[in-house]
């Protein structure tokens, strides 16, 4: 108890904030690795739009009917990977 209190008071506030940001970003990266997709916003993850009668539908153009969109963090990862793959022999 006293050790925790001492650590809390002796910590530099900017340092603990940095640590919190680091923990949050690591958590976000882990979440992007486990759940790379999020529900498509226009079709709410359904992948299609229904007519008012509910019988007819057309596929969502944003997600190509999959209902899934890559998350922001995962898109960054994909972009980084593609850049590395394309660099090839030229470097
Ligand atoms: Zn969609």
């Amino acid at each position: 108890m006293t050790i925790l209190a001492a650590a809390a008071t002796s910590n530099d506030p900017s340092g603990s904030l940095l640590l919190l940001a680091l923990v949050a970003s690591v958590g976000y990266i882990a979440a992007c690795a486990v759940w790379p997709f999020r529900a498509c916003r226009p079709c709410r993850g359904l992948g299609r739009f229904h007519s008012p009668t509910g019988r007819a539908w057309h596929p969502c153009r944003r997600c190509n009917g999959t209902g899934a969109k890559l998350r922001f963090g995962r898109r960054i990862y994909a972009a980084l990977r593609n850049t590395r793959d394309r660099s090839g022999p030229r470097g």
Side-chain angles (χ1 to χ4, degrees), residues 11 21 30 33 36 38 40 42 47-48 50 53 55 58 76 86:
N11 254 356
R38 65 170 171 79
C40 175
R48 54 193 190 180
H50 288 265
T53 61
R55 291 187 166 221
H58 70 88
I76 291 172
R86 277 191 212 129

Side-chain angles (χ1 to χ4, degrees):
M1 203 64 156
T2 50
I3 296 166
L4 269 177
T9 49
S10 68
N11 254 356
D12 183 15
S14 62
S16 60
L17 203 70
L18 198 74
L19 189 74
L20 194 74
L22 193 76
V23 169
S25 50
V26 166
Y28 181 68
I29 289 166
C32 282
V34 179
W35 300 288
F37 298 102
R38 65 170 171 79
C40 175
R41 222 171 282 164
C43 65
R44 279 171 273 150
L46 290 173
R48 54 193 190 180
F49 291 103
H50 288 265
S51 69
T53 61
R55 291 187 166 221
W57 57 270
H58 70 88
C60 175
R61 266 186 258 166
R62 291 280 187 92
C63 59
N64 293 321
T66 60
K69 295 287 276 185
L70 262 186
R71 296 176 75 190
F72 182 67
R74 192 72 178 200
R75 263 189 301 179
I76 291 172
Y77 171 75
L80 288 174
R81 201 181 50 188
N82 285 344
T83 309
R84 200 170 56 201
D85 287 349
R86 277 191 212 129
S87 62
R90 269 192 235 164

